[in-house]
Amino acid sequence: MQANRLTEKHSVSGQIEPSDVGAIKAAGFTAIICNRPDGEAPGQPTIAQVAAAAEAAGIAFHANPMVGGTLPGEIVEKQGEILRGADAPVLAYCASGRRSTALWMLSNPDQLDADERLRRAEEAGYDLEMLRPQL
């Protein structure tokens, strides 16, 4: 599992495994957000499996799954609420980290301007310029 840092408080990654949670805790993360729905890919761990590992490790866990290619307003709003309310640092994951990055950009918990959010996403490896009109 490789975390891509967006800010001091927020990082994203691709799919994590329950066995990754110990390393996530050791890296200093205090909360995990799942942005990937169950059943997207064969062999993918379920939200419940990752949540159980997080609970066992003493890490807060939040499920906010989003189907790829969509950006429902209620999911964006919930992501922002979680990010603003969580003890930092937070790791959000999906299949590749792209959805989690888009949710961070649109919810804008750090109150950054559009250019800064796009720059940070690019530095983390995600080209999300197509979201500029929504930022």
Side-chain angles (χ1 to χ4, degrees):
M1 186 280 314
Q2 176 178 330
N4 298 308
R5 189 170 138 180
L6 300 171
T7 69
E8 293 280 326
K9 298 188 258 182
H10 306 117
S11 294
V12 297
S13 78
Q15 178 68 55
I16 64 171
E17 299 288 330
S19 59
D20 294 326
V21 173
I24 291 167
K25 182 174 182 167
F29 291 101
T30 59
I32 296 171
I33 303 171
C34 173
N35 295 132
R36 188 175 195 195
D38 284 338
E40 272 193 335
Q44 164 192 340
T46 65
I47 293 170
Q49 290 170 320
V50 178
E55 182 180 333
I59 298 176
F61 183 88
H62 306 273
N64 191 28
M66 180 182 87
V67 174
T70 67
L71 287 169
E74 66 274 6
I75 292 176
V76 172
E77 185 177 314
K78 182 177 178 183
Q79 190 85 359
E81 289 171 5
I82 295 167
L83 289 170
R84 284 186 293 277
D87 288 332
V90 176
L91 176 68
Y93 75 90
C94 57
S96 68
R98 185 177 174 89
R99 268 178 278 188
S100 296
T101 302
L103 287 168
W104 167 79
M105 290 174 68
L106 292 168
S107 65
N108 197 16
D110 303 297
Q111 301 300 302
L112 302 173
D113 67 35
D115 288 335
E116 183 65 13
R117 284 179 276 163
L118 287 164
R119 183 186 68 75
R120 289 174 185 242
E122 182 73 30
E123 286 177 356
Y126 307 103
D127 178 4
L128 292 168
E129 182 66 34
M130 80 290 245
L131 292 179
R132 183 179 289 280
Q134 295 171 268
L135 302 178

